[in-house]
Amino acid sequence: EVCQCILLMKDSMFMQSNSVSPTSAYISNNPKYSKYFNNCIGALDGTHISASIPESQSIPFRNRKGFISQNVLAVVNFDMTFSYVLAGWEGSAHDGKIYNDAKLKGLALPHGKYYIGDAGYALDEHCLTPYRGIRYHLKEWQSSNLKPQNKEELFNLRHSSLRNIVERVFGVLKKRFPILRAMPNFSFTFQTDVVLSTMI
C-alpha cells in the first residue's frame, strides 16, 4: 500500500525541464562546464537493479556482468534529483534501446535542450555523448596523471566530470535502499514499483 501511495505522487514529483527552463546554476556558474554544456538539462544513464525472476524466465534478465537484474533508465538533474525514470526492462537490454523506449513513454525532449549520456547512447539532438575512442572515464584520467592533450580529450574530461552526477546519485540510492541490491521474491510488476518508489 505504501508503494502504491508513493507512486500516485510520481507525476508531481518528477519535474522535467521544458524548452524555457534555465540552465542549471551548477553549469552556468562553473566555467569548466558553461562553455560546453549551456543547454544541458540533465544526465541520463542506466543502472542494474537486482531482480528476482523464476529460473525458467531468467535468461533475458541476466546482464553482461552475469547477474539477474532489471535495467533502469534514469535522468538526474544537477540538483541530484531524479526527473525521469523508466524501470522494468530486462537486464540484458541495451541502454540505447531503453532510451528509445523512454522517448515514447514521457521523457521530455524540449526543443534546444539536451541530456548528456555515455557512449552506450547514440548521439542525437537530445543526447550529447562523448567523443568515441578518446580517453573518457574519470578513473582513466585519475590513474594516468595526464592533462588533456587536445580539444577532444578536454571535452571528454568535462563531459565525464559533469555526467558523473548520475553515477553519484545511483550510488547514494543503492546505499540508502539495500533492497535494490537484493530484491525479494515479489512479482516483477511489484519489483518495478519498488524501484520507482525509491526514486521519487
Side-chain angles (χ1 to χ4, degrees), residues 51-54 70 183-194:
S52 183
I53 304 295
Q70 62 172 294
M183 188 65 71
N185 193 20
F186 301 136
S187 73
F188 187 68
T189 300
F190 188 67
Q191 291 178 54
T192 301
D193 288 349
V194 168

Side-chain angles (χ1 to χ4, degrees), residues 28-114:
S28 60
N29 293 339
N30 188 333
K32 196 166 80 166
Y33 300 133
S34 59
K35 179 178 178 182
Y36 300 101
F37 307 106
N38 191 35
N39 288 313
C40 181
I41 53 175
L44 62 87
D45 202 4
T47 189
H48 288 276
I49 304 291
S50 166
S52 183
I53 304 295
E55 186 65 35
S56 62
Q57 301 168 15
S58 66
I59 291 174
F61 289 89
R62 188 168 302 280
N63 63 36
R64 60 186 165 76
K65 295 181 180 178
F67 68 93
I68 304 298
S69 69
Q70 62 172 294
N71 193 350
V72 178
L73 174 93
V75 174
V76 173
N77 63 34
F78 299 103
D79 296 326
M80 294 186 73
T81 57
F82 291 101
S83 60
Y84 179 85
V85 177
L86 179 60
W89 272 87
E90 301 92 341
S92 64
H94 190 275
D95 286 348
K97 183 175 185 178
I98 302 170
Y99 171 62
N100 287 334
D101 189 41
K103 291 193 274 186
L104 302 173
K105 293 184 175 169
L107 176 63
L109 301 169
H111 179 73
K113 304 288 183 175
Y114 61 88

Side-chain angles (χ1 to χ4, degrees), residues 32 123 145 157:
K32 196 166 80 166
L123 174 66
N145 288 325
L157 175 61

Side-chain angles (χ1 to χ4, degrees), residues 164-175:
N164 186 257
I165 197 163
V166 70
E167 304 288 353
R168 292 185 357 238
V169 171
F170 285 152
V172 169
L173 179 78
K174 290 177 182 179
K175 190 169 186 176

